[in-house]
């Protein structure tokens, strides 16, 4: 039986369901993924066999493919949230981990392009932990 995962964009306009298993989970620190995510890294799940069904909001999905690269960003035109996409050669479905509503058992396999990480992305595990928004 295929595992099912569901997700949506931040505003909830675009919803989707994925059937199949994720094979890998990478935290990518390359400059393109940092710009894409606006953060230290992108967190993406990969599957060569999973299939996606868009349940709503298909008209709000846009895809940006950076010329001269393999970099892709799929997003909701309403809220800008990252959404799943297929690589150009359909070799894999790539799913931003934060777009899923369903808990997944897979933990990240590795940091990739780690040498490209931001200068401030070092020893972040030593920072204080605040459970909510700071005062």
């Amino acid at each position: 039986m295929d595992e099912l995962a569901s997700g949506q964009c931040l505003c909830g306009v675009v919803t989707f369901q994925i059937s199949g298993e994720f094979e890998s989970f990478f935290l990518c620190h390359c400059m393109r993924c940092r710009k894409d995510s606006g953060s230290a890294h992108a967190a993406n799940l990969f599957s060569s066999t999973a299939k996606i069904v868009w349940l709503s909001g298909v008209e709000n999905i846009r895809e940006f493919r950076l010329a001269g690269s393999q970099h892709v960003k799929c997003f909701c035109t309403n809220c800008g949230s990252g959404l799943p996409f297929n690589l150009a050669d359909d070799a894999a479905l790539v799913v931003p981990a934060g777009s899923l509503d369903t808990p997944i058992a897979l933990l990240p396999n590795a940091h990739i392009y780690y040498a490209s990480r931001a200068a401030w992305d070092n020893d972040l595990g030593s920072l204080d932990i605040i459970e909510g928004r700071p005062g």
Side-chain angles (χ1 to χ4, degrees):
M1 183 169 115
D2 279 341
E3 292 185 27
L4 292 178
S6 61
Q8 62 184 321
C9 63
L10 180 62
C11 70
V13 168
V14 179
T15 60
F16 59 89
Q17 189 170 55
I18 296 170
S19 59
E21 293 185 29
F22 296 113
E23 296 146 358
S24 54
F25 186 178
F26 295 116
L27 305 178
C28 183
H29 295 263
C30 79
M31 179 190 67
R32 292 171 179 155
C33 283
R34 286 188 286 117
K35 288 196 177 293
D36 238 345
S37 68
S39 188
H41 56 75
N44 289 315
L45 297 148
F46 293 79
S47 177
S48 63
T49 59
K51 303 295 180 207
I52 188 166
V53 175
W54 299 103
L55 302 174
S56 68
V58 174
E59 65 280 0
N60 289 80
I61 300 171
R62 292 294 178 275
E63 187 176 274
F64 170 75
R65 292 185 180 267
L66 185 62
S69 78
Q70 295 181 4
H71 192 82
V72 179
K73 170 79 174 192
C74 188
F75 59 95
C76 170
T77 59
N78 195 49
C79 66
S81 296
L83 295 168
F85 61 89
N86 285 298
L87 293 177
D89 56 5
D90 283 334
L93 176 66
V94 180
V95 179
S99 70
L100 293 176
D101 296 327
T102 306
I104 56 167
L106 187 63
L107 295 175
N109 298 91
H111 291 272
I112 60 174
Y113 294 97
Y114 194 68
S116 297
R117 72 188 182 281
W120 49 265
D121 185 5
N122 194 16
D123 197 26
L124 299 181
S126 68
L127 295 175
D128 290 342
I129 295 174
I130 301 171
E131 294 298 332
R133 189 177 69 198

